[in-house]
Amino acid sequence: MQPPSRRTFLTLGLLLTAGTALTACTDGHGTDSAPAGDQRRPDPDEPVRLRAVAATDTLLAGYDALLPQAPQLQPLRAEVAQHRAALQPTTTSPATPPGTAAPTTLAELAALERRTAQSRLADLGAASPQLARLLASVSAAGVLHTLALGDPAPSAAPAPTPSATTGEPATAFQDALGAEHAAIYGYGVVGARLTDDQQRTDARTTLAAHQSRRDAWQRLLTGTGATPTAAAPGYQLPFPVTDAPTATRLAAHLETRLTTVYADLVAAVPAPHRPLAADALRECALRAHHWGATPAPFPGFTTPSATPSATPTP
């Protein structure tokens, strides 16, 4: 990888979308803003939420079965409980978990986490945009859990090949393309500062993955007759990158910010495109973990107070 030119910087702004609090993305569930006695409107997402909660209850039971001999699982179990609270519908009807034998080993629990993550993605098309965003995030968190449980290669269903789209979804893909342009440049900076051979190989592999994702968005947009967003002539680094530790920090930063981009994309595109955006979210969450980012219970979600404002490069 060649060092960047002096004219070129990486902009934080290209990798940030408007931060949305998790509570704002769950359609207000769990709040009590309606006056007593008011009739709540039916929740069209209720069937999806009930299925998600039932699967989560099965997962919680799996953790509870292993906690006595593996207390180190408590942080993961706590995250799963957070997922349940976010997915809980307004209905008081209990969700009935499917009959599944409780796992007896960490490998079995990892397999259960993997199956549960897949079940989230199966309901993307049936959910409202914001619930689909939440499901994709929770699914990505489940994949990270499989890593923590010892699964060396967590997998997900293959994402569909992108197809043409028009209107507002095309704008969302333009935003994703712009973020990939910035990430591609960012990995040029990362690779130029790394000294460990394996890390440099990892950076080249990741760069190729982002180039492939960029090319996919360009093909999709060209198919609509739109002109794909070009890479910007200048980007600003979010912090100085002068050595290997700051290079790995930049890589983790890039992937973490991209999880937000792709979580937003899940909510912005039509149902047929959601698995593609969710797949990108999952991959970025895994790469962020690889580069040392602190795992989050809801990958891709930020709070307004945690989202710095971005100033375009002059």
Side-chain angles (χ1 to χ4, degrees):
M1 296 182 184
Q2 297 298 318
S5 68
R6 288 179 298 174
R7 299 172 51 208
T8 314
F9 303 95
L10 178 65
T11 180
L12 178 61
L14 282 182
L15 293 183
L16 283 179
T17 54
T20 306
L22 174 60
T23 52
C25 291
T26 54
D27 300 329
H29 291 291
T31 63
D32 191 20
S33 58
D38 277 10
Q39 188 75 27
R40 290 185 184 272
R41 289 180 298 176
D43 179 5
D45 278 329
E46 187 172 294
V48 176
R49 288 183 178 275
L50 285 173
R51 286 194 293 272
V53 168
T56 309
D57 284 344
T58 298
L59 192 53
L60 286 170
Y63 275 96
D64 290 339
L66 289 178
L67 274 176
Q69 63 263 35
Q72 72 273 18
L73 298 178
Q74 184 58 53
L76 295 181
R77 198 244 183 235
E79 287 194 358
V80 175
Q82 291 182 61
H83 298 161
R84 189 191 193 285
L87 292 164
Q88 178 67 41
T90 56
T91 179
T92 57
S93 302
T96 303
T100 302
T104 58
T105 65
L106 293 182
E108 290 179 357
L109 183 59
L112 180 58
E113 275 277 18
R114 186 166 56 249
R115 292 194 300 272
T116 305
Q118 293 287 356
S119 74
R120 315 295 192 195
L121 301 181
D123 258 337
L124 287 179
S128 66
Q130 293 302 340
L131 179 56
R133 184 178 191 262
L134 176 60
L135 289 170
S137 174
V138 171
S139 177
V143 174
L144 291 174
H145 287 181
T146 68
L147 273 180
L149 291 167
D151 187 337
S155 60
T161 301
S163 56
T165 186
T166 57
E168 186 175 343
T171 301
F173 282 116
Q174 292 278 25
D175 292 341
L177 174 58
E180 288 293 353
H181 283 317
I184 288 166
Y185 172 73
Y187 274 97
V189 177
V190 170
R193 296 298 184 185
L194 293 175
T195 56
D196 178 79
D197 287 343
Q198 184 58 58
Q199 285 190 328
R200 289 173 66 86
T201 297
D202 291 346
R204 286 193 293 269
T205 299
T206 304
L207 172 62
H210 285 295
Q211 289 170 330
S212 177
R213 188 75 67 178
R214 173 204 61 192
D215 294 347
W217 298 153
Q218 288 176 330
R219 287 192 298 270
L220 184 150
L221 288 162
T222 300
T224 72
T227 301
T229 299
Y235 299 108
Q236 183 173 343
L237 288 167
F239 48 79
V241 179
T242 58
D243 52 19
T246 51
T248 57
R249 180 183 165 204
L250 176 60
H253 173 89
L254 292 172
E255 299 296 348
T256 299
R257 292 310 184 188
L258 279 167
T259 63
T260 302
V261 170
Y262 286 122
D264 288 345
L265 187 63
V266 172
V269 298
H273 290 87
R274 290 175 182 172
L276 185 66
D279 179 68
L281 168 58
R282 175 189 61 85
E283 288 189 352
C284 291
L286 285 169
R287 286 194 290 258
H289 177 272
H290 173 79
W291 290 111
T294 301
F298 296 96
F301 280 89
T302 59
T303 61
S305 61
T307 305
S309 58
T311 303
T313 303

